[in-house]
Amino acid sequence: MTIKQELLNRLNQRTARVGVVGLGYVGLPLAVEFAEAGFTVIGVDVSAPKVEQLNQGESYILDVPTERLAPLVKSGKLSASTDYSVLRQADTVSICVPTPLRKTKDPDMSYVIESVEAVSAVAHEGMLIILESTTYPGTTEEIIIPRLKNRGFTLGEDIFVAFSPERVDPSNPQYGVRNTPKVVGGVTPACTEVSGVLYRTAVDQVLEVSSPTAAEMVKLLENTFRAVNIGLVNEMALMCDKLGVDVWEVIRGAATKPFGFMPFYPGPGLGGHCIPIDPLYLSWKLKALNYNARFIELASEINTSMPLYVVNKVSLALNDDSKSIKGSKIVVLGVAYKRDVNDVRESPALDVIGLLQERGADVVYHDPYIEQVRLEAGEIMRSVDYSDTLLETADCVVIVTDHSVFDWQHVLDHSRLVVDTRHATYPRAGRARVVPL
Ligand code: SAJ
């Protein structure tokens, strides 16, 4: 029996031991899904507190309730360690570690390299290694394969390697691991086959593509599509402003087209740890190939200019009240990077607050999901309590994140001036003068 067949048998009989490296918002849901599919799952994370909490059956990820995690830990189906050597007994390893940007906007591959080196060191004959982290095309070929070849393995015969982009959308009530289709691309057809069999145990729909590079590009197309379309609609907002046209009305109109159109909405900028970052992994790689990814660069330029555009809107709005930003009391409502999440990574709100402060404004924020933020300049700012007085004493209220919990009528009835960057107060009217983005 070939090594591949032995692995396939273990996968089909659920006797394979499944490893997951990186137990965050991607790795933990994946580990739980594999454990519920019947595998014994071994998790590895560098965070001892996370490992300890998981081994006590306590979840630290909103999308994985403790009631779901605890029985798997209790039954021994799922356990975790900070020590990579536990993966010596794993038949498969899915690597789900962060791929952020450095301050220089270049990819920070340190987490991927560190985990791949650790996994390669404990890799054994018959192991399947899959990288899930969003990264530039060529990563699997350039970072994983050489390290395994150096250990004498033959890809597709005694070791199997694939890329399969993670598609976890935190706090998405509709889509989770099992019902979000998964793309897998193996280094050889045998690698694609075994990774497809593994993922079909945890995901209803698996699409096999011809290479890890194709699979890496699938993810980048998905998120570049969003970044570029958000950049387009932000530029539409700038153009509509020049034309004296309500961009939100224009989008409402365009969205009636039942085919060939997908609405995106203008906003104060592009936040989150995916959309602003993933396309820059692609443009970075293409620069090395002497190609300038113009759409990505232009979208990034427009999206990163939105915070300043918002601050200029505030300045003009205060000016109409014969006030300057300097010395004005400004309340920012919502600092999370998007509605109803408790994450401020890359949030444009931080840029808006910094720019207002640079112009001498007295800025406070209220966000029920975000207790405190660290601003670019290093200052720690805490969310102030929401109250009638907070609004009534503000020279301007700026809606940056339109959390569903906000009572927009109350905001309109107690504010004098509102700059609404999310069209959140539409179509209500109240005491406040509302300036749309
Ligand atoms: N944004 C706009 N206008 C829009 C849509 C988004 O300004 O029309 C802003 C948001 O306010 C936010 C940023 O863009 O600051 C990113 O928003 P997002 O809706 O893309 O949310 P993310 O960053 O959580 O993206 C994730 C991605 N999921 C994965 O990568 C697995 C993305 O592919 C999903 O499409 C997205 O969630 C989603 O649809 O929720």
Side-chain angles (χ1 to χ4, degrees), residues 166-170 172 219 222-223 226 230 233-234 263-276 278 337-339 348 422:
E166 60 87 3
R167 279 178 168 171
V168 174
D169 183 23
N172 186 318
K219 173 70 178 189
E222 287 166 10
N223 284 0
R226 285 186 77 74
I230 293 164
V233 81
N234 279 331
F264 284 85
Y265 301 95
L270 199 55
H273 53 290
C274 300
I275 308 305
D278 298 348
Y337 80 82
K338 74 173 182 180
R339 178 187 309 150
R422 297 287 191 174

Side-chain angles (χ1 to χ4, degrees), residues 407-422:
D407 175 348
W408 300 119
Q409 191 60 53
H410 180 273
V411 171
L412 291 176
D413 292 343
H414 292 271
S415 308
R416 60 167 63 93
L417 172 63
V418 173
V419 172
D420 183 356
T421 74
R422 297 287 191 174

Side-chain angles (χ1 to χ4, degrees), residues 330-336 353 363-371 381-387 390-391 397-401 403 405-408 411:
I330 298 178
V331 174
V332 168
L333 288 183
V335 293
I353 291 171
V363 190
V364 296
Y365 85 86
H366 170 73
D367 187 318
Y369 293 89
I370 311 288
E371 207 173 297
M381 206 179 210
R382 300 183 64 80
S383 176
V384 297
D385 291 341
Y386 183 82
S387 66
L390 175 71
L391 301 179
V397 173
V398 187
I399 298 171
V400 176
T401 309
H403 292 309
V405 293
F406 284 138
D407 175 348
W408 300 119
V411 171

